[in-house]
Amino acid sequence: MEIGSLYHVSSGAVREAAKQTGAAKKAEAEKESRDIFSTVLNNAIDNLHTTNGYISDMENEELKVALGQAENTHDLSIAMQKASAALQYTVAVKDKFMEAYKEIMQMQI
C-alpha cells in the first residue's frame, strides 16, 4: 500500500511521512537523472578516446607504408576503415547532442 493514499487520514504524523516519501522519491529521481547523464557523458568521452586511437593507428600505418616498413597495405586499409567508421559514428553522436541542445534551448519556460 502506497503511503500517499493515506492523505485523507487526519494524523499529522502520517501526512508528514507521506510528504517525506514524496521528497525522497523526487530526490531519487534527480539522482538517477544525474547518474544517467554522467553515464552518457562518460560513454561519449570514451567514444572520443577510441576514435582518437583509431585515427592514431591509421596515421601510424600510413607512416609505415610511406617509409616502406609495411609488409602489406591491407593493414593500412583496415586502419583507415576503422578510423572512418569511428569518426562517422562520433560525428553522428555529436550532431544528435547538438540537435537536442538546440531543442532544449528553444523550449519556453
Side-chain angles (χ1 to χ4, degrees):
M1 181 166 125
E2 190 67 33
I3 195 166
S5 64
L6 298 176
Y7 276 117
H8 67 279
V9 176
S10 61
S11 170
V14 171
R15 286 186 183 177
E16 186 63 33
K19 287 180 187 177
Q20 289 177 355
T21 302
K25 284 183 182 179
K26 184 178 178 184
E28 181 67 28
E30 288 175 5
K31 182 182 182 301
E32 185 176 314
S33 68
R34 283 193 303 266
D35 290 343
I36 291 171
F37 179 76
S38 66
T39 300
V40 169
L41 187 61
N42 287 334
N43 288 341
I45 291 170
D46 290 342
N47 182 28
L48 287 174
H49 292 302
T50 302
T51 301
N52 287 336
Y54 286 143
I55 291 172
S56 178
D57 291 344
M58 180 193 68
E59 290 170 349
N60 290 338
E61 289 298 325
E62 285 177 338
L63 286 173
K64 286 180 185 178
V65 169
L67 295 173
Q69 296 174 350
E71 294 180 17
N72 60 23
T73 57
H74 297 292
D75 293 335
L76 174 60
S77 176
I78 292 169
M80 289 176 73
Q81 287 298 319
K82 283 183 180 180
S84 176
L87 188 59
Q88 288 175 356
Y89 179 74
T90 301
V91 169
V93 169
K94 187 253 331 168
D95 289 344
K96 287 294 183 180
F97 272 125
M98 293 304 295
E99 185 179 312
Y101 174 76
K102 286 177 185 176
E103 188 173 325
I104 289 170
M105 294 308 294
Q106 291 176 356
M107 286 182 182
Q108 297 293 324
I109 298 177

